[in-house]
Amino acid sequence: MTTPPPDPRRTLPGVDRVVDALDGLPHPLLVECARAAVDHARATVTPDADPDPDARLAAVVADARDRVATRRRALLHRVVNATGVIVHTNLGRAPIPESAFAAAESVATGYANLEYRLDEGTRGSRHAHAGALLATACGAEAGIVVNNTAAAVLLALGAVARGREVIVSRGELVEIGGGFRVPEIMAESGCRLIEVGTTNRTRCADYEAQLRPETALLLKVHASNYRMVGFTEATPVTELARLGPPVMVDAGSGLLDATTPWLAAPPPWLADEPGIRQVIADGAALVTFSGDKLLGGPQAGVIVGRADLVAACAAHPLARAVRADKVTLAMLQAVALEYLEGRAADLPVWRMAAAPVAELRNRADRLAAAVPGGSVVDTEAVAGGGSVPGLTIPSVGVAWSVPDADDTVARLRRHDVVARVERGAVVCDLRTVDPADDDRLAAALRDALGAGPA
Ligand SMILES: *Cc1c(COP(=O)(O)O)cnc(C)c1O
């Protein structure tokens, strides 16, 4: 009499045995991966599967190891941005400069005079550091820093216009991605939205016709992520500032000065992007902008402008809910100091944006020579992050025409390299790649393209 073969469903390994064969993550995460692999095996096993317990264990362990690798790759970590999008929201927007990192490390690993006046030994304000310096850097009376620009706009509207009216052009009731919709933010802040003008044209008289005692602010929103062309008209800040109520400008990108004194000349691709200094000089009473777009610092929202209005923002209860922490403030202070010292060209965002095409071409030549099949191509990089829509920055990359470009970029992602596919070719744009990562990029490409090691 022969014994019947064991049911393969009964020879599944226990989770503990699978965990014993795993490493590379903390134990609770290994348990999650092992359990998922065992559950998957149980759900997919068929009666005719190999019933040998060792074979079952090996198969489940292999699946669990894949899950561990996937889980490790999903942890927050550094990647190479070969997309040519400088302020890439999904890849963490602006890389911060070394000076900001050093300041953050020092402040974060110890105590700091965050809200303390060392001279007097009394309580101070967290706005005395980065906020005040950024105000000086753009010619404003005062400034404060909060968590991000969405919070800055919400706070400024809530503090200055709650229960009153804010006049906005119909052409500026925009959505800036990730759910930042101007009408919704205004509703949340408790002010009443008064729309004026039309989608493509709004004149000063349109605002003027709606002025009432209840008018708290005239709001201008920079349409960061799209561009209107043709029969259009918008009212400049200078004209609005003459109407009486304070003018608030959500400038968004954090271009501190449109004349870019830190560069040899303002680059053509920055045309139309409002400079904070210019908006303040034109008479805006409040300006909101981002710390991690073209300012080149950490995620933050900055409010600069008239001292009384900025003080009202700082004193509002919402300010406590959206305030920036000491690490952000340390980083942003370092960035503000770079601008004040005339060294903004060294900020990673500006270094990448202003890198000469010839320099990129040299690097592209080396990359194409190091990875078989590559050809140097002219590319178009972009500022990204909802700034400077429609304008591109001449750039250089390397392209590989392969039959399976999508699979190749997927293999590159396993090496933490994010590239683009263009007309069936894998393209790496060098403008957004740190030159220190060039060798690593070449090695990842050789592997993803099956070229073997150099
Ligand atoms: C990017 C942007 C925002 C949102 O900025 P976050 O810092 O991401 O909150 C708001 N307004 C404008 C005009 C922007 O460009």
Side-chain angles (χ1 to χ4, degrees), residues 116-139:
Y116 189 73
R117 293 177 211 272
L118 285 168
D119 283 345
E120 289 119 54
T122 55
R123 193 197 158 114
S125 162
R126 68 176 61 212
H127 305 309
H129 320 289
L133 295 181
L134 285 168
T136 303
C138 66

PDB file of all heavy atoms in Angstrom, residues 116-139:
ATOM      1  N   TYR A 116      14.686  82.154  21.796  1.00  0.00           N
ATOM      2  CA  TYR A 116      15.397  82.594  23.004  1.00  0.00           C
ATOM      3  C   TYR A 116      16.370  83.694  22.632  1.00  0.00           C
ATOM      4  O   TYR A 116      17.157  83.550  21.690  1.00  0.00           O
ATOM      5  CB  TYR A 116      16.158  81.399  23.590  1.00  0.00           C
ATOM      6  CG  TYR A 116      16.757  81.636  24.956  1.00  0.00           C
ATOM      7  CD1 TYR A 116      15.946  81.699  26.083  1.00  0.00           C
ATOM      8  CD2 TYR A 116      18.134  81.800  25.112  1.00  0.00           C
ATOM      9  CE1 TYR A 116      16.495  81.917  27.343  1.00  0.00           C
ATOM     10  CE2 TYR A 116      18.689  82.009  26.371  1.00  0.00           C
ATOM     11  CZ  TYR A 116      17.868  82.072  27.481  1.00  0.00           C
ATOM     12  OH  TYR A 116      18.407  82.280  28.715  1.00  0.00           O
ATOM     13  N   ARG A 117      16.303  84.818  23.369  1.00  0.00           N
ATOM     14  CA  ARG A 117      17.247  85.916  23.129  1.00  0.00           C
ATOM     15  C   ARG A 117      18.437  85.717  24.042  1.00  0.00           C
ATOM     16  O   ARG A 117      18.337  85.895  25.263  1.00  0.00           O
ATOM     17  CB  ARG A 117      16.603  87.261  23.465  1.00  0.00           C
ATOM     18  CG  ARG A 117      15.471  87.674  22.563  1.00  0.00           C
ATOM     19  CD  ARG A 117      14.910  89.005  23.085  1.00  0.00           C
ATOM     20  NE  ARG A 117      13.488  89.105  22.803  1.00  0.00           N
ATOM     21  CZ  ARG A 117      13.001  89.606  21.675  1.00  0.00           C
ATOM     22  NH1 ARG A 117      13.820  90.051  20.747  1.00  0.00           N
ATOM     23  NH2 ARG A 117      11.704  89.659  21.477  1.00  0.00           N
ATOM     24  N   LEU A 118      19.561  85.356  23.465  1.00  0.00           N
ATOM     25  CA  LEU A 118      20.740  85.075  24.288  1.00  0.00           C
ATOM     26  C   LEU A 118      21.221  86.337  25.003  1.00  0.00           C
ATOM     27  O   LEU A 118      21.734  86.263  26.123  1.00  0.00           O
ATOM     28  CB  LEU A 118      21.858  84.495  23.423  1.00  0.00           C
ATOM     29  CG  LEU A 118      21.642  83.031  23.022  1.00  0.00           C
ATOM     30  CD1 LEU A 118      22.625  82.623  21.933  1.00  0.00           C
ATOM     31  CD2 LEU A 118      21.774  82.103  24.222  1.00  0.00           C
ATOM     32  N   ASP A 119      21.054  87.516  24.383  1.00  0.00           N
ATOM     33  CA  ASP A 119      21.512  88.752  25.020  1.00  0.00           C
ATOM     34  C   ASP A 119      20.758  89.036  26.308  1.00  0.00           C
ATOM     35  O   ASP A 119      21.338  89.427  27.309  1.00  0.00           O
ATOM     36  CB  ASP A 119      21.340  89.946  24.070  1.00  0.00           C
ATOM     37  CG  ASP A 119      22.426  89.956  23.019  1.00  0.00           C
ATOM     38  OD1 ASP A 119      23.423  89.232  23.215  1.00  0.00           O
ATOM     39  OD2 ASP A 119      22.269  90.661  22.006  1.00  0.00           O
ATOM     40  N   GLU A 120      19.436  88.823  26.242  1.00  0.00           N
ATOM     41  CA  GLU A 120      18.620  89.205  27.393  1.00  0.00           C
ATOM     42  C   GLU A 120      18.220  88.028  28.267  1.00  0.00           C
ATOM     43  O   GLU A 120      17.717  88.217  29.370  1.00  0.00           O
ATOM     44  CB  GLU A 120      17.351  89.916  26.906  1.00  0.00           C
ATOM     45  CG  GLU A 120      17.614  91.306  26.349  1.00  0.00           C
ATOM     46  CD  GLU A 120      17.205  91.449  24.891  1.00  0.00           C
ATOM     47  OE1 GLU A 120      16.046  91.145  24.576  1.00  0.00           O
ATOM     48  OE2 GLU A 120      18.057  91.812  24.062  1.00  0.00           O
ATOM     49  N   GLY A 121      18.414  86.818  27.763  1.00  0.00           N
ATOM     50  CA  GLY A 121      17.973  85.662  28.532  1.00  0.00           C
ATOM     51  C   GLY A 121      16.464  85.560  28.610  1.00  0.00           C
ATOM     52  O   GLY A 121      15.906  85.034  29.576  1.00  0.00           O
ATOM     53  N   THR A 122      15.780  86.102  27.604  1.00  0.00           N
ATOM     54  CA  THR A 122      14.314  86.071  27.615  1.00  0.00           C
ATOM     55  C   THR A 122      13.802  85.348  26.372  1.00  0.00           C
ATOM     56  O   THR A 122      14.556  85.056  25.448  1.00  0.00           O
ATOM     57  CB  THR A 122      13.728  87.502  27.596  1.00  0.00           C
ATOM     58  OG1 THR A 122      14.269  88.185  26.455  1.00  0.00           O
ATOM     59  CG2 THR A 122      14.089  88.247  28.862  1.00  0.00           C
ATOM     60  N   ARG A 123      12.490  85.102  26.391  1.00  0.00           N
ATOM     61  CA  ARG A 123      11.864  84.428  25.264  1.00  0.00           C
ATOM     62  C   ARG A 123      11.995  85.257  23.997  1.00  0.00           C
ATOM     63  O   ARG A 123      11.810  86.476  24.017  1.00  0.00           O
ATOM     64  CB  ARG A 123      10.379  84.224  25.612  1.00  0.00           C
ATOM     65  CG  ARG A 123       9.704  83.278  24.672  1.00  0.00           C
ATOM     66  CD  ARG A 123       8.197  83.389  24.740  1.00  0.00           C
ATOM     67  NE  ARG A 123       7.723  82.859  23.471  1.00  0.00           N
ATOM     68  CZ  ARG A 123       7.002  81.744  23.371  1.00  0.00           C
ATOM     69  NH1 ARG A 123       6.635  81.112  24.441  1.00  0.00           N
ATOM     70  NH2 ARG A 123       6.648  81.296  22.193  1.00  0.00           N
ATOM     71  N   GLY A 124      12.300  84.603  22.904  1.00  0.00           N
ATOM     72  CA  GLY A 124      12.403  85.308  21.627  1.00  0.00           C
ATOM     73  C   GLY A 124      11.411  84.753  20.630  1.00  0.00           C
ATOM     74  O   GLY A 124      10.474  84.047  21.015  1.00  0.00           O
ATOM     75  N   SER A 125      11.608  85.072  19.368  1.00  0.00           N
ATOM     76  CA  SER A 125      10.690  84.627  18.326  1.00  0.00           C
ATOM     77  C   SER A 125      11.426  83.774  17.302  1.00  0.00           C
ATOM     78  O   SER A 125      12.538  84.115  16.882  1.00  0.00           O
ATOM     79  CB  SER A 125      10.076  85.837  17.610  1.00  0.00           C
ATOM     80  OG  SER A 125       9.540  85.439  16.363  1.00  0.00           O
ATOM     81  N   ARG A 126      10.773  82.686  16.868  1.00  0.00           N
ATOM     82  CA  ARG A 126      11.392  81.846  15.837  1.00  0.00           C
ATOM     83  C   ARG A 126      11.399  82.541  14.480  1.00  0.00           C
ATOM     84  O   ARG A 126      12.010  82.047  13.544  1.00  0.00           O
ATOM     85  CB  ARG A 126      10.725  80.478  15.764  1.00  0.00           C
ATOM     86  CG  ARG A 126       9.305  80.474  15.266  1.00  0.00           C
ATOM     87  CD  ARG A 126       8.770  79.054  15.134  1.00  0.00           C
ATOM     88  NE  ARG A 126       8.768  78.377  16.430  1.00  0.00           N
ATOM     89  CZ  ARG A 126       8.957  77.063  16.584  1.00  0.00           C
ATOM     90  NH1 ARG A 126       9.171  76.302  15.537  1.00  0.00           N
ATOM     91  NH2 ARG A 126       8.931  76.532  17.775  1.00  0.00           N
ATOM     92  N   HIS A 127      10.696  83.677  14.387  1.00  0.00           N
ATOM     93  CA  HIS A 127      10.683  84.413  13.123  1.00  0.00           C
ATOM     94  C   HIS A 127      11.860  85.372  12.999  1.00  0.00           C
ATOM     95  O   HIS A 127      12.032  86.015  11.969  1.00  0.00           O
ATOM     96  CB  HIS A 127       9.369  85.178  12.977  1.00  0.00           C
ATOM     97  CG  HIS A 127       8.175  84.296  13.119  1.00  0.00           C
ATOM     98  ND1 HIS A 127       8.030  83.128  12.397  1.00  0.00           N
ATOM     99  CD2 HIS A 127       7.085  84.368  13.922  1.00  0.00           C
ATOM    100  CE1 HIS A 127       6.890  82.543  12.734  1.00  0.00           C
ATOM    101  NE2 HIS A 127       6.307  83.270  13.660  1.00  0.00           N
ATOM    102  N   ALA A 128      12.667  85.469  14.073  1.00  0.00           N
ATOM    103  CA  ALA A 128      13.777  86.427  14.070  1.00  0.00           C
ATOM    104  C   ALA A 128      14.928  85.959  13.186  1.00  0.00           C
ATOM    105  O   ALA A 128      15.829  86.742  12.895  1.00  0.00           O
ATOM    106  CB  ALA A 128      14.280  86.646  15.495  1.00  0.00           C
ATOM    107  N   HIS A 129      14.925  84.696  12.785  1.00  0.00           N
ATOM    108  CA  HIS A 129      16.069  84.156  12.053  1.00  0.00           C
ATOM    109  C   HIS A 129      15.805  84.170  10.536  1.00  0.00           C
ATOM    110  O   HIS A 129      15.964  85.198   9.896  1.00  0.00           O
ATOM    111  CB  HIS A 129      16.387  82.743  12.552  1.00  0.00           C
ATOM    112  CG  HIS A 129      16.249  82.598  14.039  1.00  0.00           C
ATOM    113  ND1 HIS A 129      17.124  83.176  14.917  1.00  0.00           N
ATOM    114  CD2 HIS A 129      15.309  81.987  14.806  1.00  0.00           C
ATOM    115  CE1 HIS A 129      16.753  82.905  16.159  1.00  0.00           C
ATOM    116  NE2 HIS A 129      15.653  82.185  16.117  1.00  0.00           N
ATOM    117  N   ALA A 130      15.395  83.035   9.974  1.00  0.00           N
ATOM    118  CA  ALA A 130      15.227  82.929   8.521  1.00  0.00           C
ATOM    119  C   ALA A 130      14.221  83.950   7.993  1.00  0.00           C
ATOM    120  O   ALA A 130      14.449  84.587   6.954  1.00  0.00           O
ATOM    121  CB  ALA A 130      14.794  81.517   8.149  1.00  0.00           C
ATOM    122  N   GLY A 131      13.092  84.108   8.701  1.00  0.00           N
ATOM    123  CA  GLY A 131      12.050  85.023   8.227  1.00  0.00           C
ATOM    124  C   GLY A 131      12.589  86.428   8.054  1.00  0.00           C
ATOM    125  O   GLY A 131      12.393  87.078   7.015  1.00  0.00           O
ATOM    126  N   ALA A 132      13.300  86.911   9.086  1.00  0.00           N
ATOM    127  CA  ALA A 132      13.835  88.274   9.031  1.00  0.00           C
ATOM    128  C   ALA A 132      14.889  88.412   7.938  1.00  0.00           C
ATOM    129  O   ALA A 132      14.927  89.414   7.217  1.00  0.00           O
ATOM    130  CB  ALA A 132      14.414  88.641  10.393  1.00  0.00           C
ATOM    131  N   LEU A 133      15.742  87.402   7.800  1.00  0.00           N
ATOM    132  CA  LEU A 133      16.808  87.476   6.784  1.00  0.00           C
ATOM    133  C   LEU A 133      16.231  87.471   5.369  1.00  0.00           C
ATOM    134  O   LEU A 133      16.699  88.198   4.487  1.00  0.00           O
ATOM    135  CB  LEU A 133      17.784  86.315   6.944  1.00  0.00           C
ATOM    136  CG  LEU A 133      18.602  86.276   8.244  1.00  0.00           C
ATOM    137  CD1 LEU A 133      19.547  85.082   8.226  1.00  0.00           C
ATOM    138  CD2 LEU A 133      19.363  87.569   8.455  1.00  0.00           C
ATOM    139  N   LEU A 134      15.216  86.630   5.145  1.00  0.00           N
ATOM    140  CA  LEU A 134      14.614  86.585   3.805  1.00  0.00           C
ATOM    141  C   LEU A 134      13.927  87.911   3.483  1.00  0.00           C
ATOM    142  O   LEU A 134      13.950  88.364   2.340  1.00  0.00           O
ATOM    143  CB  LEU A 134      13.626  85.412   3.702  1.00  0.00           C
ATOM    144  CG  LEU A 134      14.305  84.048   3.585  1.00  0.00           C
ATOM    145  CD1 LEU A 134      13.295  82.916   3.794  1.00  0.00           C
ATOM    146  CD2 LEU A 134      14.988  83.897   2.223  1.00  0.00           C
ATOM    147  N   ALA A 135      13.324  88.529   4.504  1.00  0.00           N
ATOM    148  CA  ALA A 135      12.705  89.845   4.286  1.00  0.00           C
ATOM    149  C   ALA A 135      13.775  90.832   3.829  1.00  0.00           C
ATOM    150  O   ALA A 135      13.592  91.557   2.842  1.00  0.00           O
ATOM    151  CB  ALA A 135      12.023  90.316   5.564  1.00  0.00           C
ATOM    152  N   THR A 136      14.906  90.858   4.521  1.00  0.00           N
ATOM    153  CA  THR A 136      15.993  91.753   4.121  1.00  0.00           C
ATOM    154  C   THR A 136      16.452  91.435   2.696  1.00  0.00           C
ATOM    155  O   THR A 136      16.699  92.330   1.890  1.00  0.00           O
ATOM    156  CB  THR A 136      17.184  91.608   5.084  1.00  0.00           C
ATOM    157  OG1 THR A 136      16.719  91.888   6.405  1.00  0.00           O
ATOM    158  CG2 THR A 136      18.324  92.545   4.724  1.00  0.00           C
ATOM    159  N   ALA A 137      16.554  90.145   2.397  1.00  0.00           N
ATOM    160  CA  ALA A 137      17.087  89.733   1.094  1.00  0.00           C
ATOM    161  C   ALA A 137      16.194  90.168  -0.069  1.00  0.00           C
ATOM    162  O   ALA A 137      16.663  90.275  -1.195  1.00  0.00           O
ATOM    163  CB  ALA A 137      17.291  88.222   1.067  1.00  0.00           C
ATOM    164  N   CYS A 138      14.899  90.410   0.197  1.00  0.00           N
ATOM    165  CA  CYS A 138      14.027  90.833  -0.909  1.00  0.00           C
ATOM    166  C   CYS A 138      13.489  92.241  -0.702  1.00  0.00           C
ATOM    167  O   CYS A 138      12.608  92.672  -1.443  1.00  0.00           O
ATOM    168  CB  CYS A 138      12.901  89.823  -1.127  1.00  0.00           C
ATOM    169  SG  CYS A 138      11.749  89.711   0.219  1.00  0.00           S
ATOM    170  N   GLY A 139      13.983  92.934   0.298  1.00  0.00           N
ATOM    171  CA  GLY A 139      13.584  94.331   0.481  1.00  0.00           C
ATOM    172  C   GLY A 139      12.234  94.518   1.150  1.00  0.00           C
ATOM    173  O   GLY A 139      11.601  95.558   0.979  1.00  0.00           O
TER     174      GLY A 139
END
